[in-house]
Amino acid sequence: MPRLSSLRARLILLVGLAITPMAAMTVLTGVREREHAIDVARENLQRVANLAAANEAQSLEGARQILRDLSSIPDLLDNQDDCSVLLSDILSKNTDYVNFGLIQMNGDVTCSAVASVGLVNLGDRPHFRRAIAERRFIAGNYVFGRVIGKHTVNLTFPVIKNGDVRAVLFAALDLTELDKFVLDVKLSPGSLMWTIDGQGTTISRRPDPASWFGKPIPQHLRQALATRPAVPVLLTDGDGVERLYAFARVGKADVSDYTVIIGMPYDEIVAAATRDQLIAVAGLAMTITLALLAAWFGGDILIVRRVQALVRTANRIATGSLDTRTGLRYEDEEIGALARSLDEMAHALQKKELERDAAAASLQAADRRKDEFLAMLAHELRNPLAPISSGAQVLKMAHADNPAVARTAEIIARQVEHMTRLIDDLLDVSRVTRGLVKLNRQPLDLRTVVEDAVEQAYPLFKSKRQQLELDIPHAPMGINADHKRMVQVIVNLLNNAAKYTQEYGHIRVRIERDGALVRVEVADDGIGMAPELVARVFELFTQAERTSDRSQGGLGLGLALARTLVTLHGGTVRAASAGANQGSTFTVELPYAEPPPQAQPGSAPAPGAHAARAGGLRCLVVDDNVDAAQTLALFLEAAGHVVHVAHRATEALELARRHAPQLCFLDIGLPDIDGNQLARQLRALPQTAAAQLVAVTGYGRKEDQEKSIAAGFDHYFVKPMDTAKLVQLLAMVRPEAVK
């Protein structure tokens, strides 16, 4: 018996040693899963709040665009009746709003989409006074409409004529319609979502919005909002429920002072983790119980060996080998039960691993959807650039003998080209950060690169009244580089210097050659950097500490992108600072190369610059964007061609039958049928069967281009059109070849 008791004691000790790592892993896993669930909930909650704020900001941007367009109408202030009719028509097309109106400088509403019984004066409204004082779009605080008798927020925009504010336009947004902009935001049961104005007054709440309009938010939310927490915080509401609250500003400071607040019950966040912990603890308790029974009833070497096998299995599972199994038979005894428990635990952990892989696949799908969104965004951004680019070219051609106009047109064209490149960068920003970008290297003069970068960054210096000093040598500084990417590098350094330099500060840019290297140095007398920040300033998402006087924001990508691009060019970039408030210096060094040949004054224009004037073509321009169609038509007419314009596919087909155009420019995104289908119909007409068809679109993906070429297009242009390539196309198309 004593020996038996000793054996049992030793077996219990062995089982205890074997089960300890598994128990520790189970407890640690449970704790980490709980912490991870909370962290994931914080991220998701903040993401949802940001999404809701972005949706509401988009609605405010729409209102700002409507009011901006109205303010540009020349005779808006002249005839009150015509003005009211116009605003009534706009109100009928924008059902989210309950009124549009025009406020005179004395506060009287002289023009309104909704007729009032008597004269209404809004001179006491803060949004009216702010629009006059700040001369910009103002999203006002909550107000109960005097004329319409509804809960609203007034969105105002000043009407500026000859540099003076002459009146103020307003749009009254019905708060009962505000929720529709965030209907796609799914809230779990017990969650709350608020939208408040700059004074903490409720303008939207889910659930039960009607009873909260115009009321202040609870005090504990107001106190939390005052601290502007960067991550969600845990608060106890008046109903006794603990909720995790996320805060998100609606748009930038020039859009609104509104804030979206979303609270999710804390118990719901940790419920799944708590349940998993209980299951894990229950499984662990079962395992320990079975192991102790096995030790108690075991007594020979066979039991010890089987227990050792279980210990080895548990240790392998603890190291991450989730496909490990005991390999023991599940007999009707204690060790078999313990083996089954270990295998079931490993299976459960392996299942969770597979679920994690599935979640990763879901994230990849979301990333693809993000790419599709970026493609759509690039299309929408390219559309307004097309008429600007064509208009600049028309100015240049029509006023070639006026140096000021020609120079202005060149600046516009250059900036449109740069913005187009930025839109392209938006589509491959992940490739840039991973170093996968392809460089279009050519001989450049570094002085020109710096001058182009200064031209882009100058508005930021001007807004902060900073002094910029350029120390640029007279001799060319040759490099072999991608012009667009090197301008991006210098712009990022200049923007960084302006951002972290106080008003009236000084920024100096110096170019010099040092043997086989050329060096660009950007120095400022701003806030400087601590040594630990200097060491990691080129890492992704690294920024200086935010304070009240340093609110420029940003994602911390600029310097990281700059280092990546400089490295791809075979150069180096480094930062230096003497410490806080001692300024910073960023230095880029690149290999020297022979500079490009200097252009001679009065040199002949590029081939094909005026070739389009040699023969007049019959052209058809089809685009539902009126500005884009008109500017392209002006450009073609200035080149000596006959142009017919249509804004719908049906109209284009009628013009094609009547005039038999030789060259057709078709937008893909038309309102009735798309441009690809229109191209097929034009090919079927005898009048345009041999015409040259040119696709003009904001979609620049490869699959979009392939689809258009398959539809019968001869050429494919991405908005804004490259006028140099357009001139070459016009020079190649001969009237006699397409009759």
Side-chain angles (χ1 to χ4, degrees):
M1 288 298 297
R3 293 180 62 184
L4 180 60
S5 300
S6 176
L7 178 60
R8 288 176 176 177
R10 290 180 181 179
L11 288 174
I12 290 173
L13 177 60
L14 289 174
V15 171
L17 292 174
I19 215 72
T20 296
M22 184 177 62
M25 182 187 68
T26 303
V27 174
L28 181 60
T29 300
V31 172
R32 289 184 174 178
E33 284 184 355
R34 187 182 183 91
E35 294 176 350
H36 178 68
I38 295 174
D39 291 340
V40 170
R42 289 181 188 273
E43 293 177 3
N44 291 339
L45 185 60
Q46 188 63 56
R47 188 179 298 113
V48 170
N50 292 340
L51 173 62
N55 288 347
E56 293 186 1
Q58 185 177 7
S59 71
L60 297 181
E61 286 288 355
R64 177 160 65 174
Q65 185 62 46
I66 292 173
L67 295 177
R68 181 188 290 116
D69 293 343
L70 285 173
S71 69
S72 64
I73 297 177
D75 56 351
L76 183 68
L77 303 176
D78 297 337
N79 190 304
Q80 178 178 343
D81 293 336
D82 291 345
C83 175
S84 297
V85 171
L86 173 62
L87 296 186
S88 297
D89 180 63
I90 293 175
L91 179 61
S92 66
K93 297 176 181 177
N94 295 271
T95 58
D96 300 333
Y97 302 89
V98 294
N99 198 7
F100 286 89
L102 181 70
I103 312 171
Q104 299 297 332
M105 298 300 291
N106 62 357
D108 290 342
V109 178
T110 59
C111 175
S112 175
V114 177
S116 59
V117 176
L119 182 63
V120 177
N121 186 281
L122 301 181
D124 60 334
R125 297 297 196 190
H127 56 78
F128 166 67
R129 297 196 299 270
R130 285 186 61 193
I132 295 175
E134 301 178 25
R135 300 167 68 91
R136 66 177 180 86
F137 173 80
I138 297 295
N141 296 325
Y142 165 84
V143 64
F144 188 79
R146 297 176 180 176
V147 175
I148 57 178
K150 292 186 178 181
H151 303 280
T152 65
V153 290
N154 280 349
L155 313 174
T156 56
F157 196 89
V159 178
I160 301 176
K161 302 292 184 181
N162 299 324
D164 296 326
V165 178
R166 300 286 299 279
V168 174
L169 284 164
F170 75 87
L173 177 63
D174 189 350
L175 295 185
T176 59
E177 299 292 329
L178 186 60
D179 269 347
K180 80 174 191 177
F181 297 105
V182 291
L183 287 179
D184 57 343
V185 177
K186 304 300 182 183
L187 299 180
S188 58
S191 298
L192 302 177
M193 184 170 74
W194 312 70
T195 303
I196 62 174
D197 61 21
Q199 295 181 340
T201 303
T202 303
I203 58 177
S204 175
R205 184 185 187 272
R206 291 172 60 189
D208 192 23
S211 62
W212 280 92
F213 285 149
K215 295 182 180 179
I217 58 174
Q219 184 63 25
H220 64 284
L221 289 180
R222 185 182 296 271
Q223 292 174 349
L225 178 62
T227 64
R228 286 291 176 184
V231 296
V233 295
L234 187 63
L235 301 173
T236 301
D237 286 321
D239 56 3
V241 177
E242 279 191 314
R243 289 184 174 89
L244 194 64
Y245 274 98
F247 301 82
R249 184 188 181 100
V250 178
K252 298 180 180 179
D254 63 343
V255 175
S256 79
D257 298 324
Y258 301 165
T259 303
V260 169
I261 307 173
I262 299 181
M264 178 182 294
Y266 183 75
D267 289 343
E268 181 180 338
I269 294 173
V270 299
T274 301
R275 183 174 60 254
D276 292 343
Q277 282 183 301
L278 292 176
I279 294 174
V281 170
L284 178 62
M286 181 185 299
T287 303
I288 294 175
T289 302
L290 294 174
L292 291 176
L293 290 174
W296 181 262
F297 292 103
D300 56 29
I301 193 64
L302 181 59
I303 298 175
V304 173
R305 289 176 181 175
R306 299 182 74 187
V307 170
Q308 289 175 341
L310 295 176
V311 172
R312 289 193 296 270
T313 301
N315 287 334
R316 284 195 295 271
I317 293 174
T319 60
S321 299
L322 303 181
D323 58 345
T324 300
R325 300 294 184 268
T326 61
L328 301 179
R329 294 177 60 187
Y330 299 150
E331 299 178 355
D332 190 15
E333 40 85 21
E334 293 81 1
I335 293 180
L338 181 58
R340 181 184 294 107
S341 297
L342 282 173
D343 289 345
E344 289 177 354
M345 183 187 67
H347 176 72
L349 292 174
Q350 192 173 24
K351 183 179 179 182
K352 288 187 177 181
E353 186 78 10
L354 294 175
E355 291 174 352
R356 187 180 66 179
D357 293 342
S362 177
L363 288 176
Q364 291 177 352
D367 187 63
R368 287 194 298 271
R369 290 194 296 271
K370 177 262 296 178
D371 292 339
E372 294 172 358
F373 166 75
L374 289 178
M376 177 62 69
L377 177 62
H379 170 264
E380 294 302 322
L381 291 176
R382 285 184 176 120
N383 269 329
L385 291 179
I388 298 176
S389 178
S390 300
Q393 191 65 24
V394 170
L395 280 176
K396 185 176 179 181
M397 296 173 62
H399 300 276
D401 56 346
N402 189 326
V405 174
R407 185 165 58 254
T408 302
E410 290 174 356
I411 292 174
I412 295 173
R414 185 165 60 252
Q415 293 307 312
V416 168
E417 180 183 0
H418 176 71
M419 189 166 182
T420 303
R421 290 195 300 263
L422 291 180
I423 294 172
D424 294 337
D425 288 347
L426 180 64
L427 298 177
D428 66 356
V429 63
S430 61
R431 296 175 61 250
V432 174
T433 56
R434 289 181 293 164
L436 301 179
V437 65
K438 295 181 180 179
L439 299 178
N440 182 21
R441 303 179 70 163
Q442 57 183 325
L444 299 175
D445 187 345
L446 184 57
R447 301 177 303 171
T448 303
V449 172
V450 171
E451 290 170 355
D452 291 346
V454 168
E455 179 181 306
Q456 293 184 31
Y458 183 73
L460 182 56
F461 299 140
K462 184 177 181 181
S463 66
K464 298 185 70 174
R465 295 178 285 276
Q466 294 166 339
Q467 296 186 21
L468 177 64
E469 176 186 346
L470 297 179
D471 184 1
I472 299 179
H474 295 291
M477 292 290 170
I479 57 173
N480 187 24
D482 186 313
H483 180 272
K484 174 181 66 175
R485 299 303 183 184
M486 286 311 304
V487 169
Q488 184 178 4
V489 168
I490 305 303
V491 167
N492 285 347
L493 297 181
L494 292 173
N495 287 343
N496 183 77
K499 184 189 302 181
Y500 294 108
T501 300
Q502 65 280 4
E503 288 192 359
Y504 303 103
H506 299 78
I507 298 171
R508 179 172 56 85
V509 180
R510 183 162 61 95
I511 304 176
E512 62 180 2
R513 180 178 176 184
D514 184 7
L517 298 174
V518 288
R519 183 180 298 118
V520 180
E521 184 179 278
V522 179
D524 62 71
D525 57 0
I527 64 173
M529 295 180 287
E532 58 271 17
L533 180 58
V534 173
R536 58 184 181 86
V537 70
F538 291 106
E539 297 177 3
L540 278 173
F541 311 117
T542 299
Q543 291 182 307
E545 180 184 357
R546 300 276 181 90
T547 62
S548 60
D549 62 341
R550 194 185 312 143
S551 57
Q552 294 294 333
L555 297 177
L557 289 174
L559 295 181
L561 286 172
R563 181 179 64 175
T564 301
L565 293 174
V566 171
T567 302
L568 290 174
H569 282 87
T572 60
V573 58
R574 61 180 182 273
S577 176
N581 299 316
Q582 299 296 314
S584 303
T585 301
F586 290 85
T587 304
V588 175
E589 292 183 340
L590 297 165
Y592 176 79
E594 287 299 322
Q598 301 294 307
Q600 298 298 324
S603 57
H610 300 286
R613 295 183 180 272
L617 295 169
R618 297 188 301 276
C619 300
L620 174 63
V621 175
V622 186
D623 197 325
D624 61 332
N625 186 318
V626 177
D627 291 339
Q630 290 179 350
T631 51
L632 178 56
L634 287 173
F635 177 84
L636 295 172
E637 289 172 350
H641 304 288
V642 178
V643 184
H644 300 280
V645 177
H647 303 299
R648 300 178 66 88
T650 53
E651 182 183 355
L653 292 170
E654 179 63 26
L655 289 175
R657 295 187 185 97
R658 189 185 311 163
H659 300 288
Q662 302 161 308
L663 184 59
C664 302
F665 297 87
L666 311 182
D667 183 24
I668 299 300
L670 295 173
D672 41 4
I673 62 173
D674 65 32
N676 293 328
Q677 186 175 351
L678 175 59
R680 295 187 182 96
Q681 296 186 22
L682 288 175
R683 285 297 185 206
L685 292 177
Q687 295 89 339
T688 52
Q692 290 285 306
L693 303 186
V694 182
V696 183
T697 176
Y699 296 104
R701 297 183 302 176
K702 183 179 180 181
E703 52 266 34
D704 297 322
Q705 184 173 355
E706 292 173 349
K707 185 185 299 184
S708 296
I709 296 301
F713 281 101
D714 300 292
H715 307 279
Y716 193 92
F717 281 78
V718 177
K719 295 180 179 180
M721 297 180 67
D722 187 330
T723 53
K725 293 182 179 179
L726 176 57
V727 169
Q728 294 177 1
L729 172 63
L730 294 173
M732 290 188 299
V733 178
R734 293 289 183 262
E736 61 274 9
V738 289
K739 286 183 179 179

